[in-house]
């Protein structure tokens, strides 16, 4: 981890517990990891300050919000000039339909995960965010049939 202090075994146990449930009290966390509440509080605060813990969030089922269609989209850009790549990144950050965006190596330049209500909403996304971008050379869409694994945590 560039820029971070060394993460020791206790830090790893704390991180594992917090990734399962970040609503533990420090007393409960201490019991889970075999330490004291004060030590856990210090370590968690340090892990947050150093950017090892980047956010404390609640994961929401997209279907509960009416987003029943998940589409994985690979995008090839026409030109890879830095300003144009930055423009695409900015547009994807702003697109409410895009839940994840990765700049990748290989045949595609970006991989997007798009969550929308239905095929019609995906069509609107494609027409307003991809077809209108003059730097998008080609994109491919893959509709998710089944989410086999979704593991938003890092194994430590």
């Amino acid at each position: 981890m560039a820029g971070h202090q060394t993460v020791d075994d206790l830090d790893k146990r704390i991180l594992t517990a917090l990734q399962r449930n970040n609503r533990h009290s420090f007393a409960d966390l201490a019991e889970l990891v075999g330490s004291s509440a004060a030590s856990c509080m210090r370590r968690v605060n340090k892990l947050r300050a150093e950017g090892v813990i980047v956010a404390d969030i609640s994961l929401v089922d997209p279907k509960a919000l009416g987003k029943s269609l998940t589409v994985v989209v690979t995008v090839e850009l026409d030109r890879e000039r830095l300003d144009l790549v930055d423009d695409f990144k900015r547009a994807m950050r702003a697109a409410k339909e895009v839940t994840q965006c990765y700049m990748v190596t290989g045949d595609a330049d970006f991989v997007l995960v798009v969550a929308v209500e239905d095929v019609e909403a995906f069509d609107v996304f494609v027409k307003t965010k991809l077809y209108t971008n003059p730097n998008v050379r080609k994109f491919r869409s893959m509709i998710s049939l089944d989410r086999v694994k979704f593991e938003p945590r890092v194994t430590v």
Side-chain angles (χ1 to χ4, degrees), residues 2-153:
H4 300 300
Q5 295 286 338
T6 302
V7 176
D8 66 17
D9 187 58
L10 178 56
D11 289 335
K12 289 178 182 179
R13 292 196 310 272
I14 289 171
L15 291 169
T16 298
L18 289 176
Q19 286 184 108
R20 287 190 184 112
N21 180 357
N22 73 349
R23 296 183 62 175
H24 289 298
S25 69
F26 288 116
D28 291 342
L29 185 60
E31 188 174 321
L32 286 170
V33 301
S35 185
S36 71
S39 173
C40 285
M41 184 174 72
R42 271 192 313 278
R43 284 173 177 263
V44 168
N45 288 336
K46 182 179 169 211
L47 291 165
R48 285 183 177 129
E50 292 178 350
V52 175
I53 296 174
V54 295
D56 292 293
I57 62 170
S58 295
L59 295 174
V60 177
D61 182 350
K63 290 179 184 175
L65 301 178
K67 311 288 186 187
S68 60
L69 184 68
T70 300
V71 185
V72 177
V73 182
T74 61
V75 179
E76 291 179 41
L77 299 182
D78 194 36
R79 295 172 305 280
E80 294 184 7
R81 279 190 0 225
L82 186 57
D83 60 326
L84 297 174
V85 170
D86 286 344
D87 287 346
F88 185 80
K89 288 179 181 180
R90 208 172 359 268
M92 293 305 100
R93 282 188 201 105
K96 64 180 176 40
E97 304 90 344
V98 176
T99 62
Q100 298 175 61
C101 176
Y102 301 93
M103 187 173 180
V104 297
T105 61
D107 292 335
D109 297 304
F110 287 88
V111 174
L112 314 175
V113 178
V114 177
V116 289
E117 294 82 357
D118 50 31
V119 172
E120 290 78 19
F122 181 67
D123 187 49
V124 169
F125 166 78
V126 166
K127 287 176 179 170
T128 60
K129 304 297 191 305
L130 299 180
Y131 283 142
T132 59
N133 187 323
N135 197 32
V136 172
R137 176 188 312 145
K138 179 173 26 173
F139 65 90
R140 291 193 171 98
S141 307
M142 297 167 277
I143 294 176
S144 170
L145 300 176
D146 182 21
R147 183 165 73 182
V148 176
K149 182 177 181 180
F150 177 74
E151 197 66 45
R153 57 182 161 216

